[in-house]
Amino acid sequence: MAPAVSGRAWALYAMMAVLWGIPYLFIKEAVDSLTPAAVVAGRTLLGAAVLLPIALRRRALRPARALWPWVLAFGAIEMAGPFLLLGHAEQTLPSGLTGLLVATVPLFATGIALVRGDRSALSPARAVGLVVGFAGLVVIVAGPGLAVAEPAQALGAIAQVLLVALLYAIAPFIIATKLAHVPALGTITLSLLAVGLAYLPFALLTQHELPTVRSGLSLVALGILCTALAFLGFFALIGEVGPVRAPLFTYVNPVVAILLGVLLLGEPLSPGLLLGFPLVLVGCWFAATGGRLRLRRQAPPFAP
């Protein structure tokens, strides 16, 4: 029997559900006057600036530096590609829809496990989860009332977000196979710093105007709250409930993203979204867990 969840753990669950549910709102606001490259550079450098002193104090960087090619590969797949793609996509898509599409990570992770020959991914419950989850995606994308100005452009943006979900599903396999014995804090800090420095020249070349106050504050929130503080909170949650139960909050993140988009940005709830939303969540749950609360041991989830 799993141990009871403490009050501190519930507080951390709630904090993580919000901190990794609100990035889509802040990305939407940030790209209003910042280029996607500037958003990536600003967010990652701010996150690295907060985490670097902590990583140095805990001596977490040296093991990560020893495996720097894999750390850079993780940073490219987990941060450099997804953060830029999300910025481009949210210039077209509602933030709530983006958050829900990213929540399909477990579907892609199960598909990758199948390709890798993981027999446990072939269970009937996980197969049903894959079918139901992707059916929900079809309903959302092809269903009535997709609230976008240009449908053709929206399909391209949806493809970008689904590519983000695929990349987020691939990244944990690098952690599990190549960086399992490296402190997560060191890997994440070094990745953030490398990605930020790589994007800084592109940010300077593409950003030709001063950002609005609203976009600037959204960028700061992305870097400090949704990146640095979120990772620290996630590490604390792992320490409280272990790596198996810690990722459960990720099933609440799309709910937070959709509610914030509707309440704060006035984004409409299309019939397709209302019908497909529960199908995607149920499908992701079954694909990832087989319908059981007891999850398999896994790497830290994606950071939107």
Side-chain angles (χ1 to χ4, degrees), residues 24-181:
Y24 310 101
L25 171 68
F26 289 138
I27 292 171
K28 187 75 174 177
E29 291 291 335
V31 295
D32 184 59
S33 65
L34 287 162
T35 65
V39 172
V40 177
R43 174 185 183 176
T44 52
L45 289 175
L46 279 170
V50 174
L51 293 179
L52 187 58
I54 302 171
L56 288 171
R57 187 166 63 249
R58 297 183 184 178
R59 299 181 179 179
L61 289 182
R62 181 173 294 179
R65 287 202 309 268
L67 293 172
W68 64 267
W70 288 111
V71 172
L72 293 184
F74 170 78
I77 294 173
E78 173 79 6
M79 301 170 187
F83 289 179
L84 185 68
L85 289 169
L86 286 175
H88 279 295
E90 289 215 45
Q91 291 177 325
T92 302
L93 297 180
S95 64
L97 175 58
T98 304
L100 179 57
L101 292 174
V102 173
T104 59
V105 169
L107 301 180
F108 288 102
T110 302
I112 293 170
L114 285 171
V115 172
R116 288 168 53 89
D118 184 352
R119 293 184 178 181
S120 65
L122 292 172
S123 70
R126 289 195 171 91
V128 169
L130 280 174
V131 173
V132 171
F134 281 112
L137 275 180
V138 172
V139 171
I140 291 170
V141 175
L146 185 61
V148 291
E150 298 182 19
Q153 188 175 358
L155 289 177
I158 289 171
Q160 290 181 64
V161 180
L162 292 178
L163 177 56
V164 168
L166 175 60
L167 292 173
Y168 280 153
I170 293 171
F173 287 94
I174 297 179
I175 292 288
T177 60
K178 302 298 181 181
L179 299 169
H181 302 294

Side-chain angles (χ1 to χ4, degrees), residues 233-262:
F234 184 65
F235 299 151
L237 183 59
I238 290 176
E240 193 73 21
V241 303
V244 174
R245 291 195 293 168
L248 288 174
F249 67 86
T250 57
Y251 295 97
V252 184
N253 294 154
V255 180
V256 175
I258 290 174
L259 287 176
L260 289 175
V262 170

